[in-house]
Amino acid sequence: MSQSAETPRRSLTSAALPALFAAALAGLGTIALVALGRQAPAPGAIPNCILGENAAAVGGAIDLVDHNGARVTQADFAGEPAVLYFGFTHCPDVCPLSLNLLGEALALPGGFDLQAALISLDPARDTPAVMSAYVQSTGFPAGLIGLTGTQAQVDLAKRAFQVYGARDGAGPGYSIDHSSMIYVMDGHWRTVAIMPTVAQAVSPGGESRSVSAAAEDLAACIAAGLRNAG
């Protein structure tokens, strides 16, 4: 599942993305990304893939409402591996890119059949009806479910997964500045892998830019997490 050297990564041109990537790193506090920044990846390592104890330190209980209006807790995923993404339906670029990336990774040959879920960071606008339409978007993971709820319910999930999310702007057109991570859960609701959907790349001229993670790398990270979980 490793990425070919000739496979281009999609460049993200939104001005907000460098800040978003910084928020993504901050959203995981001081766990593995600190260590990743201090040493070069080992040969054969999956870029930016967080595994083992560092992944297991993130995660916890959820109590939300799905896009059909039914209550959902972590117990509903018992025995079924899942993959989570925190975003919102009005997100202009990073969220749809990330969900398309996840859909692509899960559809690769040998990919895992996982239950994918989008957890809203914008419950005021992301009602079950809005989520129901959004999760059916072309390119998103098959069977994607949308999870929302009250602000208190969403905040509980954010704290459990150390997600950064803050309202940006006033009025009905506000946005949500947020971290952008994929969380892989095993059948016991333990976090076995975490990977950012955007990364920093340095051009030959020394300029830093944000690029999408490679679907092959994400698929490999998912596989490594579930394989290590036994």
Side-chain angles (χ1 to χ4, degrees):
M1 293 185 185
S2 60
Q3 183 191 19
S4 168
E6 289 78 27
T7 303
R9 298 194 181 189
R10 287 164 286 187
S11 179
L12 310 182
T13 58
S14 169
L17 290 183
L20 243 173
F21 181 72
L25 302 188
L28 283 179
T30 57
I31 66 172
L33 290 175
V34 172
L36 286 173
R38 292 178 179 170
Q39 59 188 21
I46 306 163
N48 299 318
C49 179
I50 302 167
L51 301 167
E53 293 181 358
N54 291 316
V58 178
I62 61 170
D63 190 351
L64 298 163
V65 177
D66 72 12
H67 62 260
N68 294 313
R71 182 188 180 198
V72 173
T73 72
Q74 68 279 3
D76 292 289
F77 294 89
E80 181 180 18
V83 58
L84 312 179
Y85 181 76
F86 288 77
F88 65 112
T89 65
H90 286 72
C91 183
D93 40 35
V94 174
C95 300
L97 181 144
S98 298
L99 290 170
N100 275 278
L101 171 69
L102 178 57
E104 185 179 347
L106 295 178
L108 286 173
F112 283 83
D113 182 16
L114 300 180
Q115 176 60 67
L118 165 65
I119 300 179
S120 175
L121 296 172
D122 186 19
R125 293 183 296 191
D126 288 345
T127 64
V130 170
M131 296 287 278
S132 180
Y134 186 75
V135 296
Q136 299 178 53
S137 299
T138 301
F140 287 4
L144 176 68
I145 62 174
L147 298 175
T148 186
T150 66
Q151 188 64 58
Q153 288 174 309
V154 168
D155 287 345
L156 175 68
K158 284 172 59 180
R159 286 193 297 271
F161 285 87
Q162 301 182 31
V163 173
Y164 170 79
R167 180 166 169 159
D168 182 16
Y174 67 87
S175 187
I176 305 289
D177 187 21
H178 65 96
S179 51
S180 187
M181 299 282 182
I182 297 295
Y183 301 85
V184 184
M185 315 301 292
D186 70 6
H188 301 284
W189 197 249
R190 296 177 299 205
T191 307
V192 295
I194 304 171
M195 185 170 170
T197 63
V198 293
Q200 292 295 98
V202 179
S203 70
E207 296 179 350
S208 179
R209 72 188 190 282
S210 296
V211 298
S212 168
E216 293 82 0
D217 289 341
L218 178 56
C221 186
I222 292 170
L226 293 174
R227 182 172 58 248
N228 293 345

